Amino acid sequence: MTMPGPVIHWFRRDLRLADNPALTAAGQNGAPVILLYVHDDISAVDWTAGAASNWFLHHSLENLNRDLLPYGNRIVFRKGSAVNVIRDLAVETKASTVFFTRCYEPWAAEEEKILAHELKASGIAARRFGGNLLFEPESLKTGSQQPFKVYTPFYKAGLKQLQTEGIRPRPEKLPAPANLPSSDDLRSWNLCPTKPDWSTGLAENWQPGEQGADAALENFIEEHLNRYSSDRDRPGIKGTSRLSPHLHFGEITPRSCWQRTLSKCVIENGFPSQGAEVFLKELIWREFSHHLLHHTPDLPSRPFRQKFSEFPWRKDEDQLVAWQRGLTGYPLVDAGMRELWHSGWMHNRVRMITASFLIKHLLIDWRQGQKWFWDTLVDADLANNAASWQWVAGCGADAAPYFRIFNPVLQGEKFDPDGVYIKRWVPELGNLPAKYIHAPWLGPENVLKQAGVTLGKDYPRPIVDHAAARNRALAALKSL
Ligand code: FAD
């Protein structure tokens, strides 16, 4: 009896074994399965992954490969244009079918179309599956058959469609072909920094891979879920799930998060606890961002609301660098930017405050901030990042109005009242009393001296005055 030709499962951002419809289908096919990952830093053009994201990817792939050991299979790593690599490998191995999970970035969607076309020309089938979102972007439409532009109706329409049953376990079998195609050594891709190795902060904070994702969800549900609605705004405590990079790389699905949250949360009067409800709504914000990107592919480069195209942005390299390095003189802003640099992540409330500061206090184009976040976040995600930056800038769909300008001092007093978060990330202010930690320039000389802080030497004076910056931002808006 001749062995059937193999099939290929092309791993993309579905770096998991469980609840992976494409992988399950590949395994059920009965043929040997070639598990392929292509490092394609060509197709993304302006949006090749940043260094923090690459570090996460490396470890996620390494752990996925380890999880495949019991199947007697492993990942074939190849580099190049995904379409060319897959087509050539499929032809070389006489594969009958290529299975893959859908991605939503404009270049990825284009790549899928070209791949399907190229494979068809060689008599090879392409089978695309969903799985990384709760709803496919085409499946939700307004009453007039248009894409949604407002979150709440999108959320309501989504709930009506939501299907979280039938989550698949890990595939039973993923038989390897007798001769595994050659593979690059993952380490040769240099996704991790070496000279210097600045990734210690990332390693301290993250456990990439499916097991790390499961553990993060489990810990969140057991320890934090029921207080999520209040704790999620407190950057000084761990009140959120920290699932974002795991969701981005598809190490866990939103369906699993949804189902496990509902199965374990406290039910009050027949409804999930407030914490669970708010958390599930955040998962739908992720869906909404992907919906927006799918229907507006230029979301990362153009304001959703046209009138903002004429916004009079300033160019100020020194202030941009001060923001990036956490040296603005506003402690909450600086704490956030340093948390980002050190750990590859920033608390959501502080993301909003730091983004608002760049856009409104410094009048620097939101796209500059978006790029910096893209380069430094482990969870850098085109849809979430673009939609969120546009949300803060007031130019996005269902965005915060531009004239709502965060006061970083008041935000600090409200959400980090004792300065726990600030002291963690801006240690030079560690001895300042809470009363002055959010605005050290208001501290009496003797208090600053006692805390060992000389402004302008140990810690910068504010690079802009809040009231003046606010007025300037409002005037810029008026000029539109
Ligand atoms: P939780 O509060 O536990 O939320 C659970 C999940 O819901 C998150 O993991 C995330 O997948 C999703 N989610 C939560 N808030 C949002 C939101 N506002 N929009 C879309 N999805 C959301 N998130 C990214 O995943 N990647 C990004 O590149 C990104 N860039 C951002 C840039 C700015 C300026 C802002 C204001 C927000 C950005 N966010 C981004 C959204 C949000 O800050 C993060 O998803 C969240 O902080 C991740 O932490 P968590 O997993 O603990 O979130």
Side-chain angles (χ1 to χ4, degrees):
M1 202 175 83
T2 52
M3 281 290 283
V7 297
I8 295 177
H9 174 79
W10 172 29
F11 276 118
R12 301 170 89 198
R13 285 219 310 285
D14 56 337
L15 304 181
R16 62 180 181 274
L17 299 179
D19 197 25
N20 188 333
L23 185 67
T24 302
Q28 284 171 345
N29 195 272
V33 187
I34 297 172
L35 301 163
L36 173 69
Y37 184 86
V38 186
H39 184 46
D40 179 355
D41 49 10
I42 304 159
S43 308
V45 197
D46 292 338
W47 296 102
T48 52
S53 185
N54 273 336
W55 174 89
F56 201 96
L57 171 66
H58 174 97
H59 292 286
S60 188
L61 287 170
E62 205 171 59
N63 287 332
L64 180 61
N65 222 4
R66 200 165 300 145
D67 293 345
L68 286 164
L69 282 175
Y71 293 88
N73 209 337
R74 61 179 169 75
I75 306 174
V76 172
F77 295 111
R78 295 262 173 113
K79 204 171 176 177
S81 137
V83 171
N84 295 348
V85 170
I86 296 164
R87 184 200 51 217
D88 294 352
L89 185 68
V91 171
E92 169 196 324
T93 58
K94 301 193 171 46
S96 62
T97 314
V98 177
F99 294 81
F100 59 91
T101 301
R102 184 174 180 189
C103 288
Y104 302 89
E105 290 77 6
W107 71 82
E110 193 55 30
E111 194 172 56
E112 290 168 12
K113 277 192 214 148
I114 301 172
L115 178 68
H117 179 79
E118 296 266 322
L119 290 178
K120 196 172 172 197
S122 305
I124 299 162
R127 289 193 58 197
R128 185 179 81 157
F129 290 73
N132 284 353
L133 288 179
L134 293 167
F135 331 105
E136 294 307 323
E138 310 77 3
S139 68
L140 289 183
K141 296 226 170 87
T142 64
S144 54
Q145 297 302 302
Q146 296 301 311
F148 282 96
K149 293 179 185 167
V150 183
Y151 170 80
T152 304
F154 174 85
Y155 169 74
K156 288 184 179 159
L159 283 191
K160 284 192 197 142
Q161 266 210 19
L162 191 66
Q163 238 278 28
T164 57
E165 279 87 51
I167 289 185
R168 294 165 181 81
R170 294 178 167 210
E172 275 176 30
K173 290 183 189 162
L174 293 168
N179 297 313
L180 215 56
S182 63
S183 169
D184 291 353
D185 180 346
L186 176 60
R187 285 167 302 183
S188 73
W189 290 355
N190 296 323
L191 298 175
C192 290
T194 45
K195 287 177 191 160
D197 177 2
W198 45 260
S199 65
T200 323
L202 303 187
E204 282 164 9
N205 280 280
W206 302 102
Q207 186 194 342
E210 195 168 4
Q211 283 175 27
D214 270 352
L217 179 61
E218 201 57 30
N219 171 273
F220 172 67
I221 292 175
E222 294 297 331
E223 307 284 335
H224 309 287
L225 178 64
N226 290 317
R227 288 195 314 273
Y228 178 75
S229 57
S230 52
D231 286 359
R232 64 189 284 266
D233 273 323
R234 302 284 300 273
I237 53 180
K238 182 186 181 297
T240 69
S241 70
R242 299 175 68 100
L243 278 164
S244 47
H246 302 294
L247 281 163
H248 171 75
F249 286 104
E251 298 172 345
I252 195 164
T253 61
R255 263 169 29 122
S256 297
C257 295
W258 192 283
Q259 200 198 45
R260 278 163 64 184
T261 300
L262 281 186
S263 69
K264 294 202 171 171
C265 72
V266 175
I267 301 290
E268 293 160 355
N269 305 322
F271 291 97
S273 62
Q274 203 193 3
E277 194 187 338
V278 177
F279 175 67
L280 297 176
K281 279 189 169 161
E282 293 306 321
L283 290 179
I284 305 257
W285 271 105
R286 175 176 179 272
E287 301 286 319
F288 186 52
S289 302
H290 284 77
H291 180 85
L292 290 175
L293 180 64
H294 174 79
H295 292 290
T296 327
D298 57 4
L299 194 70
S301 54
R302 277 160 62 110
F304 189 87
R305 296 171 65 195
Q306 271 301 309
K307 94 170 185 184
F308 278 83
S309 302
E310 306 300 319
F311 198 87
W313 300 113
R314 287 173 64 242
K315 282 201 173 28
D316 190 324
E317 193 55 28
D318 289 347
Q319 290 196 343
L320 176 64
V321 170
W323 177 81
Q324 291 170 338
R325 296 198 176 153
L327 293 172
T328 66
Y330 284 90
L332 188 59
V333 174
D334 294 340
M337 298 309 294
R338 296 187 200 184
E339 177 181 34
L340 173 60
W341 184 249
H342 181 80
S343 74
W345 186 84
M346 193 198 298
H347 188 278
N348 179 59
R349 164 83 18 204
V350 192
R351 289 189 202 203
M352 293 194 287
I353 295 162
T354 52
S356 169
F357 187 85
L358 182 81
I359 296 166
K360 298 174 187 177
H361 284 74
L362 305 184
L363 279 191
I364 292 180
D365 194 328
W366 58 271
R367 283 159 285 211
Q368 301 249 27
Q370 178 189 225
K371 190 85 184 86
W372 182 252
F373 272 31
W374 179 261
D375 287 340
T376 49
L377 279 169
V378 284
D379 65 25
D381 180 277
L382 199 73
N384 286 353
N385 202 29
S388 299
W389 273 95
Q390 292 225 27
W391 185 89
V392 178
C395 58
D398 204 3
Y402 180 90
F403 57 77
R404 205 177 287 156
I405 296 173
F406 283 127
N407 178 330
V409 175
L410 297 183
Q411 289 285 312
E413 287 168 357
K414 190 167 175 195
F415 296 112
D416 187 30
D418 302 323
V420 175
Y421 178 73
I422 290 177
K423 289 183 182 186
R424 188 179 307 147
W425 295 109
V426 190
E428 61 267 39
L429 300 181
N431 293 326
L432 263 188
K435 190 174 174 195
Y436 299 110
I437 190 101
H438 301 289
W441 61 93
L442 297 180
E445 215 169 290
N446 63 327
V447 174
L448 289 172
K449 196 169 173 199
Q450 216 170 356
V453 179
T454 306
L455 289 180
K457 185 168 158 252
D458 304 305
Y459 184 70
R461 295 179 191 283
I463 58 172
V464 281
D465 170 68
H466 169 71
R470 186 173 185 283
N471 290 339
R472 184 175 64 176
L474 292 176
L477 176 69
K478 225 172 170 183
S479 76
L480 281 185

